[in-house]
């Protein structure tokens, strides 16, 4: 996360995310005010495998998705979103039925990404039993330094952008009763964005293997004495 500092009486914006301080006074924030991204930006800068040139398509796509995730995690009204077209927006994950903007905002990004049709007894993470808040608390607990995200490659430009991404963090806190290992947890995936002329998103498709994420998080010993809850909100905004 970029440190937000006072500069000539104003708060400097985040390096990688737009729309944090634009209309901040009229935006309804989930946690009472604009988020800070100090820790996860530090993790990102120390661990990224690519550093894209300023103004490149790769940088634009990377920052646009970081901005959308920020809005999804921290804004409570779709009317305050600047990165999507709420009336058109759909997200499709691993070929499942699409979720609308309202549905995605209600359940949160983790539950949207981890929903699946496996029988209940085979589900290691039960998205349908998690709330927005409980899902964010679980991953915030597991990744106290944050859960960083980068674009690895962009294959096509707008209006339909195809890209490869990497997501990573260090498993340094408990996850659902599983003890931390201290090791890096990461996974790769592919995605597409359908955007309009102003780069607002109409549709997102994401493909990845959830086992890459959950397998590492469940590898720590099961410690029933260890709580999976924690102080704080979202690992992206520690």
């Amino acid at each position: 996360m970029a440190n937000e500092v006072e500069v000539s009486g104003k708060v400097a914006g985040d390096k990688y995310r737009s729309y944090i301080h634009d209309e901040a006074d009229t935006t309804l924030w989930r946690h009472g005010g604009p988020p800070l991204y100090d820790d996860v930006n530090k993790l990102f800068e120390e661990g990224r495998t690519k550093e894209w040139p300023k103004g490149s398509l790769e940088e634009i796509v990377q920052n646009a998705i970081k901005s959308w995730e920020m809005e999804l995690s921290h804004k409570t009204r779709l009317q305050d979103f600047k990165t999507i077209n709420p009336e058109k927006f759909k997200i499709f994950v691993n070929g499942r039925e699409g979720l609308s903007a309202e549905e995605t905002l209600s359940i949160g990004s983790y539950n949207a990404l981890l929903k699946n049709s496996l029988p209940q007894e085979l589900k290691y993470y039960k998205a349908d039993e998690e709330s927005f808040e409980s899902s964010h608390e679980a991953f915030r607990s597991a990744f106290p330094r944050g859960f960083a995200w980068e674009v690895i490659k962009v294959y096509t430009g707008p209006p339909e952008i195809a890209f490869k991404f990497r997501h990573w963090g260090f498993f340094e806190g408990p996850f659902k009763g599983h003890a931390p290992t201290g090791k890096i947890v990461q996974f790769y995936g592919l995605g597409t964005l359908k955007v309009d002329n102003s780069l607002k998103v109409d549709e997102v498709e994401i493909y990845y293997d959830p086992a890459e994420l959950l397998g590492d998080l469940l590898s720590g010993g099961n410690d029933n004495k260890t709580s999976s809850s924690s102080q704080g909100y979202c690992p992206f905004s520690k």
Side-chain angles (χ1 to χ4, degrees), residues 75-93:
K75 295 182 178 181
T76 62
R77 300 185 303 185
L78 290 176
Q79 69 193 66
D80 294 326
F81 279 48
K82 309 297 183 184
T83 57
I84 68 171
N85 290 310
E87 68 283 357
K88 295 181 179 180
F89 181 85
K90 287 275 189 178
I91 182 171
F92 302 85
V93 180

Side-chain angles (χ1 to χ4, degrees), residues 82-220:
K82 309 297 183 184
T83 57
I84 68 171
N85 290 310
E87 68 283 357
K88 295 181 179 180
F89 181 85
K90 287 275 189 178
I91 182 171
F92 302 85
V93 180
N94 290 336
R96 294 195 308 271
E97 183 178 354
L99 295 172
S100 68
E102 186 174 347
E103 289 170 324
T104 308
L105 179 60
S106 175
I107 67 174
S109 55
Y110 289 114
N111 289 331
L113 289 170
L114 290 167
K115 284 175 69 71
N116 62 71
S117 57
L118 288 171
Q120 284 293 104
E121 64 272 16
L122 297 180
K123 290 182 180 181
Y124 294 106
Y125 178 90
K126 299 179 180 180
D128 53 349
E129 296 181 6
E130 299 284 347
S131 67
F132 185 112
E133 291 76 14
S134 69
S135 65
H136 278 250
E137 287 173 0
F139 285 92
R140 167 62 181 81
S141 170
F143 301 119
R145 281 194 276 165
F147 200 22
W149 189 93
E150 69 171 334
V151 161
I152 298 294
K153 189 175 181 66
V154 175
Y155 300 99
T156 59
E160 185 161 348
I161 302 166
F163 60 94
K164 182 178 181 181
F165 67 89
R166 170 178 171 248
H167 220 334
W168 77 98
F170 288 90
F171 184 17
E172 296 171 326
F175 178 77
K176 297 289 185 182
H178 289 267
T181 64
K183 297 179 181 179
I184 191 170
V185 172
Q186 64 182 340
F187 66 89
Y188 294 81
L190 298 172
T192 62
L193 299 175
K194 290 183 180 179
V195 299
D196 66 12
N197 291 335
S198 61
L199 294 183
K200 286 188 175 183
V201 179
D202 291 336
E203 288 187 7
V204 180
E205 286 193 56
I206 298 293
Y207 295 91
Y208 80 107
D209 182 0
E212 286 191 299
L213 169 62
L214 293 176
D216 284 337
L217 289 174
L218 299 173
S219 64

Side-chain angles (χ1 to χ4, degrees), residues 4 18 22 26 38 69 71 86-88 95 108 119 128 206 210 231:
E4 294 185 344
S18 302
D22 306 61
T26 58
D38 304 54
E69 187 285 323
E71 292 194 311
E87 68 283 357
K88 295 181 179 180
D128 53 349
I206 298 293
Q231 298 291 326

